[in-house]
Amino acid sequence: MAGAVESELVSEDTSETEAVAAAAVGVAAILFALSLAALFELVTITDTLAGVPMVALLGALLLLLGLGVVGFGVGSRLGYVATNPRPSAGLVAAVAFSGIWFVVGGLVASQTFGLGTIGWGGVAFVTGGLAFAVTALPREDIGSTLPAGLLAVFAGAVFVTGLIGPGWVWDLGWEQSASFNAEFTIPVITAFCSLLVAWGAAKSYGGFGARGRHVGAYLLVYLNALSIIAVLFLLVAFTVFKGLPGLFNGLSFGLGTGPETTLFGFTFAWPLSWPFVMNGVALLNDVNGVLPAIAGTIWLVIGAVLFAVPLGVGAAVFITEYAEHGRFTQVVEIATNGLWSTPSIVFGLFGLAFLVPRLGNGKSLLAGMLTLGFMLLPLVVITSREAMLAVPDEYRDASAALGVTKWQTIRSIVLPAALPGIVTGIILGVGRIAGETAPILLTMSGSVAPPGSQTVDVIGGFQFISSPPFVENPELLQATSALPYQLYSLITAGVGQSSNIANIEQFRWATALILLVVVLGFYAVGIATRYYFRRKLQHE
Amino acid sequence: MTILPDKDAGDLRAAARREVQRGRDFVDEADPEALVTVTVASVALLAAFVGFLAVSSLTAIPFVVFLVASGYGWFRHQELTARVLTLTTTVSTILILGLILVFIFVEAWPTVEYATVTVFGLPIPGLRLFIDTRWSPVSPPIRYSLVPMIHGTVLVTIIATAVAAPLGVAAALFLSEIAPRAVREVVKPGVEILAGIPSIVYGFIGFTILSPWASDQFSIVGQGTYLFVGVVVGLMALPTVVSVAEDALNSVPESMKSGSLALGTTDWQTMTSITLPAAFSGVSAAVLLGVGRAIGETMAATVMLRGSPGLTKPLYNVFYGNDTLTSLIAANYGDADGLQLSALFVAGVILFVTVLFLSIGSQYIEARMRKKLGGAE
């Protein structure tokens, strides 16, 4: 085959051009990182780097990159670079580029030259149309490099010539004022252009055609995944970094340093003193803490699980094992999925209207427990049902063949086999509800910064009375705090309500951190359980 | 009421007759003592429920009867009791959805009635909630317009969707088709943890870091922009989009992908011309669910917005943020009573109904896709 021989020959010198394209991608990546750093004010755009002003440096790099990519495309078209492009860059790219150039043309015409609506509209249409034609009509090597490269060249030229310099401001002129400043505009334009150029360069690296598109798309998809993980990491790391000082404030170890606790009649002192999780808020405390909120969250989770798990697993058993697949199971499925996506604030409203008047006519821990239980319920149903559906029918048949009843099959075959899935689902669901603020805001929120004496003690709260309902527990019917609510109220509270807390900023971050630790702890356990069971299943 | 065509009516009647026959067989076969036990338990539970609804202090008595009866049944007639108990739990799940609907509608009604406008002599309840634009619960004329909040919710949702949909679908493609196994094992739990971070922590970081930064960057007076609330909410809706879209992409039969690859296409060509089109409806269901999440997100909006109901000027000014439906409820429930509280319930009804429709719509789309792919196999 002639083509095979040819590609064998050109692969010799493609390695060189590939290196050039890869270098362009690398420079674009550096530029992207630099613009992000500028956006988050790690470097300021008024700085100079090695004697060159930052803006000029960004502009020069953009110019260089843009010219490089355009040169690559033109070189490929003229046959200096061996590639295998398609006849056109395709409609998607054409529409995207025409949109970008439409905006560029419109902005330049209306803001720089001050043309009216008709004027800038016309210019925008011309630039957009040109970009469309340049992308769609010529061969792919021109179509996917020229519009991207020229944009970078244009932006670079604007930066280098100082048309957009560090002092540049575009006041939008709205009644509620807002304006684009240079500190935002320059990094964002740079980042955007470097992404476009990197895509073009990646396509060139792949030699255009199917492989080029593959490389270009993979670059963007990998970048996307990377940035999601980076955002996650940043969020968690930042909270940990800001929260740690407050969390371990006054921590000390040693026998007898901690507070005394009485459990089952024995009184003992903790071997460590950790004020932030062992104290409440009080005027005389050396270090204030969030013990009442932690206790509240723990009891909330226990209550919600006690309510939702039996109901949810029972419902899942019925619709998977007993009910025939039909209208009824469909209704249940739609209802559970609908419940699952219902906004949490609506659950809060429901708790306010339905539970609060019926449970002591005031916000209470019990109302919060049940409201969160309502939220947890659909998740338990959905995950338990999935876990039970995953149990192979052979198991049920084998059991039924032994002559046992249906319920015995469910109890001794289906439920044990589905248990890992159910447990994982419950743990992940608990993680979700433990961090919910909106429902408990409306149903159980108490004081902003509760003292340690307000820690709920549900077990000790039960007492028998002579009139129906014969058992009562005032602890359950009291408003209390929980970690997410405590964080919310610390954010929104006025100065007077939290005046006992000396370093409010540190206290807030520490609260956020401990909430994050509790919630992500549930998630970590849930995910780990899933991996453990999956590995066990694979080994068997 | 529409009159059913004869055939449907006939089918229904036949089905009903079958059900009745089945019930009769069931009663005939079951042990009478067991039957009495479960009947007592059911009636007692029903009584307890009615008592709870009626705020009766006697609620505990039928509930105890229910516990005793079902406990007895559990030891003597486990088969039947288990069946009835699981049926009860199923019914209560549906009942909860029904109760939510009924209760928030009932609480919302007074304001809807208050906002009645007569058009051509025909009173339309609730119309003024949507044609006026003033929210002034204290100074007369007292008006509870939800237009500013709906405007805020729409802006935030559009921005959030613009963030979550493309990034989410790309991440789902990455997880399901592209990532090597080792990378997937890291990214997938990462996305799940992103879903796990409590919304109030997002809100807190937005409030302390993002809002001041945005005010500084865009020279905004005060803090709170729909733009950055939208970005934060988009980040929170992202995991929903990723996981549902990934499920959809995974459900495309492997044979279709292999067939394409066997023709010599690149992985990316297979994705864009086979996998994505086949899973298109599932992916759009994922986006719909993500939109639902974004609409209902409360705490980030409450903490980051200004909480002063009103339209932005101009309407597309996303660098200013007043209030969304959710933040209105969370910020005002405390000092609201009477009509104003009821107006908050109206906001809740709008949220609930919108999200319910999105959920049902996405379920319908997913079911259709499953059927289509199932048929193609």
Side-chain angles (χ1 to χ4, degrees):
Chain A
M1 240 166 40
V5 177
E6 197 178 88
S7 66
E8 193 60 44
L9 277 174
V10 291
S11 76
E12 287 291 309
D13 55 10
T14 37
S15 64
E16 216 166 83
T17 50
E18 269 179 2
V20 173
V25 175
V27 175
I30 294 172
L31 199 57
F32 187 69
L34 205 61
S35 55
L36 282 191
L39 194 61
F40 293 109
E41 295 166 1
L42 296 175
V43 292
T44 42
I45 53 166
T46 46
D47 278 356
T48 53
L49 207 69
V52 187
M54 195 59 160
V55 181
L57 180 72
L58 291 177
L61 278 176
L62 274 180
L63 257 177
L64 196 74
L65 269 176
L67 286 176
V69 168
V70 171
F72 206 98
V74 173
S76 158
R77 182 72 187 91
L78 298 177
Y80 296 122
V81 184
T83 51
N84 35 13
R86 296 191 168 192
S88 162
L91 208 60
V92 178
V95 169
F97 277 126
S98 68
I100 294 167
W101 276 99
F102 182 88
V103 172
V104 171
L107 284 180
V108 169
S110 67
Q111 301 304 321
T112 313
F113 298 111
L115 300 182
T117 315
I118 299 171
W120 74 253
V123 174
F125 265 109
V126 169
T127 51
L130 267 179
F132 189 90
V134 169
T135 315
L137 297 181
R139 227 168 65 171
E140 192 191 10
D141 42 8
I142 293 286
S144 57
T145 56
L146 210 58
L150 282 185
L151 190 71
V153 169
F154 178 65
V158 166
F159 290 163
V160 169
T161 54
L163 280 174
I164 293 184
W168 181 85
V169 174
W170 172 26
D171 191 344
L172 292 171
W174 289 337
E175 187 174 335
Q176 290 155 340
S177 67
S179 47
F180 284 101
N181 296 341
E183 296 102 77
F184 178 79
T185 314
I186 293 178
V188 165
I189 291 179
T190 313
F192 184 73
C193 289
S194 59
L195 268 186
L196 271 185
V197 171
W199 174 76
K203 276 188 93 167
S204 323
Y205 174 81
F208 305 102
R211 191 160 158 259
R213 287 177 192 205
H214 178 86
V215 175
Y218 267 39
L219 178 82
L220 295 185
V221 173
Y222 264 92
L223 184 70
N224 173 50
L226 192 70
S227 38
I228 290 177
I229 294 301
V231 166
L232 168 73
F233 180 76
L234 269 181
L235 281 177
V236 175
F238 193 74
T239 313
V240 170
F241 174 72
K242 295 281 261 184
L244 276 182
L247 187 59
F248 292 124
N249 204 349
L251 181 71
S252 62
F253 293 96
L255 280 177
T257 51
E260 292 191 338
T261 310
T262 307
L263 209 62
F264 305 117
F266 292 102
T267 304
F268 67 97
W270 290 83
L272 84 166
S273 166
W274 188 354
F276 190 76
V277 300
M278 289 177 171
N279 284 352
V281 172
L283 191 58
L284 296 176
N285 277 354
D286 286 336
V287 180
N288 285 308
V290 290
L291 175 64
I294 295 177
T297 292
I298 292 173
W299 280 113
L300 267 181
V301 165
I302 292 176
V305 166
L306 284 182
F307 173 79
V309 169
L311 270 186
V313 175
V317 166
F318 188 82
I319 50 175
T320 9
E321 304 295 325
Y322 286 120
E324 281 169 38
H325 194 78
R327 200 48 65 79
F328 182 66
T329 52
Q330 252 175 4
V331 169
V332 177
E333 229 168 285
I334 290 172
T336 45
N337 283 333
L339 269 180
W340 182 75
S341 50
T342 299
S344 55
I345 190 86
V346 173
F347 279 102
L349 281 177
F350 173 59
L352 185 66
F354 178 64
L355 293 174
V356 169
R358 290 176 174 74
L359 298 171
N361 213 2
K363 293 182 181 178
S364 61
L365 180 59
L366 190 57
M369 285 173 170
L370 290 178
T371 311
L372 287 187
F374 292 147
M375 282 194 71
L376 184 58
L377 179 62
L379 210 67
V380 175
V381 176
I382 292 170
T383 49
S384 310
R385 181 166 150 76
E386 269 171 17
M388 283 178 213
L389 284 176
V391 176
D393 270 342
E394 287 87 18
Y395 286 25
R396 297 186 181 89
D397 296 345
S399 168
L402 294 175
V404 299
T405 60
K406 189 147 196 172
W407 170 246
Q408 276 169 324
T409 304
I410 296 170
R411 206 179 62 168
S412 24
I413 305 294
V414 178
L415 280 182
L419 198 62
I422 298 176
V423 170
T424 314
I426 291 170
I427 297 173
L428 291 178
V430 165
R432 185 178 162 216
I433 60 159
E436 277 294 349
T437 319
I440 55 174
L441 186 67
L442 272 67
T443 51
M444 70 161 249
S445 51
S447 64
V448 172
S453 59
Q454 278 185 19
T455 308
V456 283
D457 176 15
V458 172
I459 297 173
F462 280 107
Q463 42 193 260
F464 293 98
I465 49 173
S466 57
S467 64
F470 305 113
V471 184
E472 70 164 14
N473 190 339
E475 292 282 342
L476 276 178
L477 296 180
Q478 246 171 23
T480 181
S481 193
L483 283 171
Y485 170 71
Q486 173 115 32
L487 181 56
Y488 169 73
S489 57
L490 284 173
I491 295 172
T492 53
V495 182
Q497 287 168 290
S498 51
S499 55
N500 283 341
I501 304 166
N503 191 344
I504 184 85
E505 195 64 22
Q506 200 184 48
F507 194 77
R508 281 177 184 165
W509 280 107
T511 312
L513 176 58
I514 202 157
L515 173 62
L516 203 63
V517 167
V518 169
V519 171
L520 293 191
F522 279 117
Y523 270 79
V525 171
I527 292 171
T529 322
R530 193 174 57 204
Y531 273 84
Y532 172 74
F533 280 122
R534 196 182 291 161
R535 186 152 301 170
K536 221 171 131 186
L537 275 180
Q538 278 168 354
H539 276 291
E540 272 166 11
Chain B
M1 246 340 228
T2 52
I3 296 161
L4 290 166
D6 270 352
K7 187 172 164 293
D8 279 6
D11 279 356
L12 271 183
R13 223 172 289 138
R17 213 176 298 130
R18 264 203 311 277
E19 285 300 313
V20 170
Q21 188 55 45
R22 263 183 47 195
R24 211 171 276 157
D25 289 348
F26 178 72
V27 171
D28 286 346
E29 281 166 22
D31 185 357
E33 192 196 308
L35 222 62
V36 170
T37 316
V38 294
T39 313
V40 169
S42 315
V43 171
L45 189 64
L46 200 65
F49 176 66
V50 172
F52 190 70
L53 275 184
V55 203
S56 161
S57 64
L58 297 175
T59 304
I61 298 171
F63 191 69
V64 169
V65 171
F66 160 74
L67 286 183
V68 169
S70 48
Y72 173 78
W74 186 263
F75 286 109
R76 295 297 302 274
H77 314 281
Q78 208 175 71
E79 184 72 26
L80 185 65
T81 314
R83 188 168 184 159
V84 170
L85 281 184
T86 52
L87 173 64
T88 314
T89 55
T90 315
V91 171
S92 28
T93 307
I94 304 175
L95 200 64
I96 288 172
L97 190 67
L99 282 176
I100 293 180
L101 258 176
V102 169
F103 269 84
I104 61 173
F105 265 102
V106 166
E107 295 284 331
W109 184 248
T111 298
V112 174
E113 207 171 26
Y114 174 76
T116 303
V117 175
T118 311
V119 183
F120 302 123
L122 193 72
I124 300 179
L127 187 60
R128 204 165 52 211
L129 293 170
F130 304 104
I131 54 172
D132 205 333
T133 60
R134 271 173 309 156
W135 170 272
S136 70
V138 186
S139 56
I142 289 175
R143 290 285 178 267
Y144 303 103
S145 168
L146 292 175
V147 174
M149 276 63 84
I150 293 174
H151 168 248
T153 299
V154 167
L155 279 186
V156 167
T157 307
I158 290 174
I159 295 163
T161 312
V163 172
L167 300 192
V169 173
L173 259 185
F174 178 78
L175 283 176
S176 125
E177 308 291 320
I178 298 175
R181 202 185 146 81
V183 179
R184 183 166 51 223
E185 303 280 279
V186 178
V187 177
K188 206 170 150 66
V191 172
E192 269 175 304
I193 288 178
L194 204 59
I197 297 178
S199 58
I200 187 71
V201 173
Y202 278 105
F204 180 51
I205 292 177
F207 172 76
T208 44
I209 310 293
L210 208 53
S211 287
W213 178 82
S215 294
D216 182 41
Q217 295 278 331
F218 297 100
S219 316
I220 302 162
V221 183
Q223 284 187 14
T225 60
Y226 285 137
L227 178 63
F228 285 95
V229 173
V231 170
V232 170
V233 170
L235 206 57
M236 297 165 78
L238 187 67
T240 309
V241 180
V242 174
S243 61
V244 180
E246 197 206 342
D247 283 347
L249 292 170
N250 279 338
S251 71
V252 176
E254 199 55 45
S255 56
M256 286 169 78
K257 300 176 198 168
S258 316
S260 159
L261 287 173
L263 294 175
T265 61
T266 59
D267 285 342
W268 179 248
Q269 276 177 315
T270 304
M271 272 176 246
T272 49
S273 33
I274 304 294
T275 316
L276 268 182
F280 182 77
S281 45
V283 171
S284 44
V287 173
L288 276 188
L289 278 180
V291 171
R293 268 284 122 93
I295 291 176
E297 181 41 52
T298 311
M299 294 327 290
T302 310
V303 177
M304 288 174 72
L305 291 177
R306 293 159 202 255
S308 55
L311 293 168
T312 56
K313 293 164 203 155
L315 280 182
Y316 48 83
N317 184 355
V318 291
F319 295 107
Y320 202 84
N322 286 319
D323 235 345
T324 63
L325 286 170
T326 51
S327 74
L328 177 84
I329 302 172
N332 292 305
Y333 79 98
D335 38 43
D337 54 357
L339 277 180
Q340 192 188 350
L341 189 63
S342 168
L344 300 186
F345 275 93
V346 178
V349 167
I350 296 175
L351 285 171
F352 182 63
V353 170
T354 317
V355 176
L356 195 64
F357 267 108
L358 285 175
S359 159
I360 292 175
S362 67
Q363 284 178 61
Y364 173 72
I365 294 173
E366 273 180 307
R368 226 183 47 179
M369 169 182 154
R370 228 172 296 139
K371 209 185 229 169
K372 203 176 81 187
L373 285 182
E377 244 177 333

